[in-house]
Amino acid sequence: MKDLLNFKIRAIAANIRNTRESLNYTQEYLAAKLSISQNAYSKIELGYTKITVERLFQIAAILETDVHELIDTEKVVAA
């Protein structure tokens, strides 16, 4: 079960990164929008930092996408 949870966390982090990159946004840009350091934001994309639901909604809004797109772990498997 823990392995599945870790996989899902990494998949969500990858979805965030892929969406950010598709928009040509930098980590610095998202970090500034979230009022956190670039290093702290990088840890989100690497899956090192567990994010809150509120933070997830903030990231989705900045990336102009739906939260469902970011948490769709099947999308990463298919890619």
Side-chain angles (χ1 to χ4, degrees):
M1 175 129 169
K2 186 168 177 128
D3 289 339
L4 179 60
L5 180 60
N6 286 332
F7 166 78
K8 288 184 177 190
I9 290 169
R10 286 192 312 272
I12 292 167
N15 286 342
I16 292 170
R17 182 184 65 249
N18 292 337
T19 304
R20 175 185 60 77
E21 289 175 346
S22 74
L23 294 169
N24 293 318
Y25 290 169
T26 64
Q27 286 187 348
E28 292 84 6
Y29 174 77
L30 256 77
K33 288 287 202 178
L34 294 168
S35 300
I36 60 175
S37 70
Q38 183 274 328
N39 189 44
Y41 179 77
S42 176
K43 289 178 181 179
I44 291 172
E45 283 193 3
L46 292 170
Y48 298 159
T49 300
K50 293 180 179 146
I51 59 174
T52 63
V53 172
E54 179 181 3
R55 180 69 78 199
L56 183 63
F57 275 95
Q58 290 170 340
I59 292 169
I62 295 166
L63 295 176
E64 302 169 9
T65 191
D66 192 77
V67 171
H68 294 100
E69 289 294 315
L70 297 180
I71 63 172
D72 182 4
T73 57
E74 297 297 317
K75 196 164 71 170
V76 174
V77 173

